[in-house]
Amino acid sequence: MKKYFLLLVIPFLVTIFSVNTNAQSFQLGAGIGYSIPSGDFGGETPGFYNGAEYGMGGAFNVHAKARLGLVFMNVFGEVGYNFYSGEGNAEVNKGNLKVTNNVLSIKVGPEYSISIPMSPISPYVQGFIAYNSFSGKVNLNGVSSVPSGEYDIESASRIGLGLGAGVLFKLAGLNLDLNVQYNMMNLFSKEFTTQGTSHPILDNFTALNDEKDPLYAVGNSEHFIGDSRNISAIELKLSVLFGL
């Protein structure tokens, strides 16, 4: 997966930085934010247990951001880390399930400023390609057909795309960037994998498994992920940037 990401991003970066003689500015900074899962990434923990959703709640994130200003547009790069989790019953009023999903996202793309004469703010819109790496844990306690315990979720990576908008402004002498993004994290290379655990039902919970189980059958208690699942989130972020 990393190879495909590099094949997509490197030519873009080479093109951008080959015209750095037109660079007008460069900014670098960091910030915090909050992410709201959407699509199949949200929902409730029973949805995770039955293979329909991931049951994630809102997550705090930290990130670093760089922006290169060119004559005709800006180019930005961003590295962010989101801490998602969900906890509740696995079945109706039965069993406890806690799942965490940590997502490292590396994004790069163009940014286009919207000029507003005499305005103290500078709005912009952006698009990006993202490399998203997933890891986490699932803790099962008192759940039917599954031994209680904490299990690692196998790391996985996906390529996604996204859109965003924001405003740049100054406050108390600081350069601030208020941004909202919609990150479609697993648009490409969905898959179902098995871990070969001693309890086959655990294979459904110990990998990302965003593709349909090839052995899926109605009523099969071990192969119940019957549809591919879309992972996306709305990310709200505030960054402090310093000009270099």
Side-chain angles (χ1 to χ4, degrees):
M1 184 65 68
K2 293 181 180 179
K3 177 181 69 175
Y4 296 119
F5 177 75
L6 291 174
L7 288 175
L8 288 169
V9 171
I10 287 177
F12 178 76
L13 293 176
V14 169
T15 300
I16 292 300
F17 288 101
S18 67
V19 295
N20 60 14
T21 54
N22 293 321
Q24 303 297 297
S25 64
F26 181 72
Q27 294 179 319
L28 184 66
I32 58 174
Y34 191 76
S35 298
I36 303 169
S38 60
D40 300 320
F41 202 38
E44 304 294 333
T45 47
F48 176 75
Y49 185 68
N50 65 35
E53 329 173 285
Y54 288 90
M56 294 292 102
F60 288 100
N61 68 62
V62 294
H63 62 273
K65 183 172 184 177
R67 175 184 289 112
L68 175 66
L70 304 176
V71 171
F72 52 93
M73 68 173 184
N74 295 328
V75 177
F76 83 98
E78 185 179 300
V79 179
Y81 201 75
N82 293 274
F83 306 88
Y84 295 99
S85 65
E87 184 173 9
N89 291 127
E91 304 164 277
V92 178
N93 299 320
K94 183 179 180 181
N96 180 265
L97 186 157
K98 182 177 181 180
V99 58
T100 62
N101 225 313
N102 303 318
V103 184
L104 171 69
S105 295
I106 303 173
K107 306 170 184 174
V108 63
E111 246 180 34
Y112 298 93
S113 297
I114 302 171
S115 178
I116 302 179
M118 308 298 292
S119 173
I121 65 173
S122 300
Y124 64 84
V125 294
Q126 62 187 188
F128 58 85
I129 183 172
Y131 168 81
N132 303 290
S133 178
F134 299 82
S135 62
K137 294 181 180 294
V138 57
N139 188 296
L140 302 161
N141 186 23
V143 178
S144 299
S145 305
V146 181
S148 296
E150 184 176 79
Y151 304 92
D152 290 327
I153 298 174
E154 182 186 30
S155 297
S157 57
R158 300 288 186 269
I159 300 297
L161 299 173
L163 299 170
V167 292
L168 301 173
F169 61 99
K170 289 184 179 294
L171 181 65
L174 297 175
N175 296 313
L176 301 180
D177 182 347
L178 182 61
N179 177 249
V180 57
Q181 293 177 341
Y182 180 56
N183 186 8
M184 297 170 282
M185 291 183 267
N186 70 331
L187 282 183
F188 307 105
S189 303
K190 297 178 183 178
E191 63 179 352
F192 184 93
T193 60
T194 58
Q195 308 305 304
T197 63
S198 58
H199 296 267
I201 192 173
L202 283 176
D203 286 341
N204 298 281
F205 309 131
T206 55
L208 191 61
N209 287 338
D210 49 354
E211 186 55 275
K212 175 181 177 180
D213 185 344
L215 299 179
Y216 168 78
V218 176
N220 190 316
S221 62
E222 295 181 354
H223 302 278
F224 49 80
I225 298 180
D227 292 296
S228 63
R229 297 181 283 184
N230 297 316
I231 301 174
S232 58
I234 299 170
E235 303 175 8
L236 310 172
K237 285 170 286 191
L238 179 64
S239 309
V240 179
L241 300 174
F242 301 93
L244 300 177

